[in-house]
Amino acid sequence: METNDSAGKETLDPDLILSCENVRKNYGGTAALRGVRLRIRRGDIHALVGENGAGKSTLMNILVGLVQPDGGEIFFDGKPYAVANPFQAINSGIAMIHQELNTEPYLSVAESIFLNREDTFPGTPFLNKKETNERAKRILTKFGIDLNPKIHMEQLTLAQMQMVEIIKAVSTDAKLVIMDEPTSSLDSEETKRLFETIADLRSHGVSVIYISHRIEEIFSICDSYSIFRDGESVATGAIKETTKDELISKMVGRKVDKIFPKADIEIGETLFVAENLSGRGFQDISFDVRAGEILGVAGLVGSGRSETMQAIFGMDPLEKGKMYLEGKEIRPKDVKAAQRAGIAMVNENRKEYGLCLFRSIRENISLASLSERYRGPFINQTREKDECRQIAKRLNIKMSNLETEAFALSGGNQQKVVVAKWLMDRPKLLILDEPTRGVDVGAKAEIHSLMGTFAASGMAIIMISSELPEVMGMSDRILVYHEGRVHHTVTREQILSGEENEETILAKQFGR
Ligand SMILES: Nc1ncnc2c1ncn2[C@@H]1O[C@H](COP(=O)(O)OP(=O)(O)OP(=O)(O)O)[C@@H](O)[C@H]1O
Ligand SMILES: [Mg+2]
């Protein structure tokens, strides 16, 4: 076996399941990986952290054969490793749950789980659908998921799709499972179940590479970590020998002190009122939001939070109830009408709504607000560019230039583009559904501070978030959903006085 200088003998350490040495990848002019090292021990849960655009997903895509490296060496299970596609990777023992879910809408749940591993009638190439469905049902039950294996993927919620992806990966008998932000659309209950699955994998000697921007999660389940910064490996070690602050500062390259800097903003007049709204997934929802106010919305996935907001934004039909914006009754029949009335919404599924992957960053950011920039038949291009450049800089969007197409951005940077787009639209009511999903700690603080700036200018903001520390840190009031209803309202004073905390709010999400 050829293992020259750069790798050395230690890469063949039998305790290592994976070692990547000096791996490089360029995309045109962008260096995504500048010679990274990553070593994973057998049975280890290894956190891979770094800012948006650091190169984490790129290395993982190389490991599953979606991207070919420009150089470097990889050893897996003691042997040199190179794969041309994900099927070869699965056959070699590496499975991956992707950051951007890529499910085939017309496959059934069972077909998705066992894609290319379906049951056939013995001795024939003919698919045995019944057996595949039953096998899927057994594995779903084992993971405590109540899903019909025959329904199509397109009928599932984002969280359900993610659970199917997780099951698919862990059911392949892989020796290494890569999880690229697996909890970004899961609620606390589903996350707990995922953590049990991970512990189970570890007890069977399976290694996991766990990518997440949620530092708390990393400290609760990972054994070791590696940090990437700008395509280079900057640190690695054992989790119990480091601290959250140390990890964050090594990741960002500077000290980040305040994570949820809620600005003190004077709250104005009532801006939006919802009266007894009912629709698919929610009943009898009433609340108001005032100018300058940030209204947080907590609850489990599926509790009706997103459904309510989508109905307000004209995406889904409203069955009952009334809405008023600045005292005038509104009833937007579609998204365009809602936008005209002064409502904007950042949706939780950025790929489906909100981001045009094959348009430039500039076009994406200015799409929503084009009408405002229309002067006669021409777009004021200089002003458009200046504003885009400013907001891109503020959110630290990592890109070669504004004309780069959105698909070439890392996941977190795509999210920043979507948030930028709606902030530039200057709506009266801004609805944010998981605005910082997949965004690194530095940019998260930046998005929060922009929310403060816009609230101070008189905008009313509604923010749905499954990260309780974020809702608690940023909101003036919090609506807690349970089974399609607002079960409770918590005020900022109650949080500051300690009367309400993460546990009490969590309990309320469960209807207690
Ligand atoms: N297909 C592509 N074409 C051009 N550039 C790309 C492509 N994919 C990734 N890049 C660039 O490579 C760099 C690394 O991206 P990568 O997706 O690996 O980051 P990441 O660490 O996973 O970030 P995040 O936390 O946001 O998911 C980024 O600058 C990104 O813009
Ligand atoms: Mg990524």
Side-chain angles (χ1 to χ4, degrees):
M1 186 187 305
E2 282 278 320
T3 61
N4 51 32
D5 48 313
S6 70
K9 278 226 174 58
E10 77 244 47
T11 57
L12 294 177
D13 177 345
D15 280 352
L16 290 180
I17 180 73
L18 176 78
S19 82
C20 303
E21 307 291 327
N22 201 20
V23 175
R24 279 172 285 121
K25 177 71 193 175
N26 278 314
Y27 286 108
T30 325
L33 298 172
R34 307 167 194 259
V36 286
R37 161 182 287 178
L38 180 67
R39 293 176 178 173
I40 314 286
R41 312 187 78 77
R42 289 177 197 274
D44 240 19
I45 312 299
H46 191 92
L48 178 57
V49 298
E51 286 185 294
N52 296 132
K56 305 176 299 290
S57 297
T58 302
L59 183 63
M60 300 303 111
N61 286 335
I62 289 174
L63 291 176
V64 295
L66 283 171
V67 167
Q68 293 306 315
D70 295 337
E73 287 178 293
I74 301 174
F75 299 88
F76 179 68
D77 209 4
K79 292 188 288 284
Y81 175 88
V83 286
N85 58 53
F87 299 116
Q88 286 183 6
I90 285 186
N91 288 332
S92 313
I94 301 186
M96 174 158 170
I97 301 159
H98 288 272
Q99 177 174 20
E100 299 296 321
L101 294 178
N102 269 320
T103 48
E104 285 292 334
Y106 301 115
L107 289 183
S108 73
V109 169
E111 285 161 346
S112 304
I113 296 178
F114 296 114
L115 191 63
N116 291 317
R117 300 182 288 134
E118 294 95 342
D119 293 281
T120 50
F121 289 103
T124 75
F126 301 112
L127 297 182
N128 183 344
K129 276 202 168 179
K130 190 159 172 274
E131 182 53 34
T132 306
N133 283 336
E134 278 166 14
R135 198 148 58 101
K137 187 75 212 167
R138 280 198 296 277
I139 190 158
L140 287 165
T141 313
K142 184 176 155 212
F143 285 94
I145 296 161
D146 183 24
L147 263 186
N148 177 352
K150 290 183 202 160
I151 63 173
H152 285 178
M153 292 299 287
E154 62 176 350
Q155 287 166 276
L156 305 187
T157 64
L158 209 56
Q160 288 172 325
M161 284 185 207
Q162 197 144 14
M163 289 309 286
V164 170
E165 288 288 293
I166 290 167
I167 287 181
K168 179 175 167 181
V170 302
S171 68
T172 57
D173 297 322
K175 290 179 186 146
L176 173 67
V177 177
I178 298 167
M179 303 189 175
D180 197 350
E181 296 186 41
T183 57
S184 57
S185 55
L186 302 185
D187 64 35
S188 45
E189 202 40 35
E190 290 159 331
T191 301
K192 208 176 100 206
R193 215 175 294 141
L194 174 68
F195 287 0
E196 288 163 11
T197 307
I198 293 176
D200 194 44
L201 289 173
R202 171 168 44 198
S203 71
H204 286 92
V206 176
S207 310
V208 174
I209 298 179
Y210 192 85
I211 300 180
S212 175
H213 291 290
R214 300 186 178 173
I215 309 292
E216 314 283 329
E217 289 184 351
I218 287 166
F219 277 78
S220 73
I221 55 156
C222 296
D223 305 304
S224 47
Y225 68 91
S226 292
I227 304 177
F228 283 6
R229 191 162 73 223
D230 277 339
E232 294 180 50
S233 0
V234 293
T236 185
I239 286 288
K240 56 178 186 300
E241 285 159 20
T242 186
T243 62
K244 290 175 190 166
D245 286 345
E246 191 188 14
L247 202 71
I248 292 174
S249 66
K250 278 187 188 153
M251 207 164 103
V252 187
R254 64 187 151 83
K255 240 181 125 47
V256 177
D257 30 35
K258 204 122 166 72
I259 301 205
F260 302 110
K262 167 103 178 80
D264 267 324
I265 290 159
E266 200 174 320
I267 298 197
E269 308 263 295
T270 300
L271 199 133
F272 177 80
V273 181
E275 247 177 43
N276 311 101
L277 305 183
S278 297
R280 202 172 55 94
F282 58 94
Q283 300 97 47
D284 208 16
I285 307 288
S286 297
F287 64 86
D288 58 17
V289 210
R290 300 201 280 165
E293 190 178 30
I294 299 179
L295 178 70
V297 185
L300 299 177
V301 170
S303 60
R305 304 173 299 172
S306 300
E307 288 78 1
T308 312
M309 299 310 152
Q310 286 171 4
I312 293 176
F313 191 49
M315 283 170 67
D316 292 340
L318 195 61
E319 281 158 19
K320 260 190 238 148
K322 288 188 167 170
M323 302 192 272
Y324 303 87
L325 191 69
E326 290 180 322
K328 273 214 315 267
E329 183 170 353
I330 55 163
R331 200 181 180 91
K333 61 174 195 322
D334 56 22
V335 171
K336 277 226 168 65
Q339 255 177 278
R340 269 198 307 274
I343 306 178
M345 175 160 173
V346 173
N347 207 277
E348 60 173 337
N349 192 348
R350 61 177 164 258
K351 249 209 216 154
E352 198 171 335
Y353 321 96
L355 195 70
C356 302
L357 285 176
F358 297 101
R359 294 268 202 138
S360 71
I361 297 168
R362 177 183 51 79
E363 287 171 303
N364 267 292
I365 293 182
S366 54
L367 267 181
S369 47
L370 269 187
S371 53
E372 192 205 324
R373 242 163 261 119
Y374 248 97
R375 296 286 176 268
F378 303 108
I379 297 172
N380 183 340
Q381 287 201 341
T382 327
R383 191 175 136 209
E384 180 192 355
K385 269 205 185 125
D386 277 354
E387 286 183 10
C388 290
R389 199 170 291 123
Q390 267 174 29
I391 197 151
K393 184 152 182 267
R394 189 141 182 214
L395 292 179
N396 193 16
I397 297 178
K398 200 188 162 205
M399 56 183 185
S400 19
N401 62 63
L402 279 175
E403 301 310 318
T404 308
E405 288 177 355
F407 81 89
L409 294 177
S410 76
N413 283 305
Q414 291 183 354
Q415 179 68 12
K416 293 185 214 170
V417 170
V418 178
V419 173
K421 163 178 163 179
W422 293 114
L423 285 174
M424 296 269 290
D425 192 35
R426 315 263 152 102
K428 292 172 189 156
L429 172 67
L430 175 64
I431 306 173
L432 302 164
D433 195 350
E434 307 283 0
T436 62
R437 184 181 147 205
V439 167
D440 66 49
V441 280
K444 211 178 226 181
E446 214 46 67
I447 289 180
H448 291 150
S449 105
L450 274 173
M451 284 167 64
T453 311
F454 284 102
S457 74
M459 200 183 273
I461 300 181
I462 301 178
M463 177 184 69
I464 300 181
S465 169
S466 291
E467 253 190 283
L468 276 183
E470 178 173 52
V471 200
M472 290 169 54
M474 291 301 298
S475 314
D476 293 292
R477 267 183 310 144
I478 303 172
L479 305 179
V480 186
Y481 265 69
H482 173 66
E483 294 187 347
R485 288 172 192 275
V486 175
H487 180 64
H488 240 280
T489 304
V490 172
T491 63
R492 181 157 189 82
E493 289 68 43
Q494 285 173 310
I495 288 172
L496 293 177
S497 73
E499 184 188 333
E500 294 282 356
N501 55 43
E502 220 174 307
E503 268 139 61
T504 59
I505 297 180
L506 200 62
K508 291 189 169 78
Q509 294 186 355
F510 283 100
R512 278 174 242 140

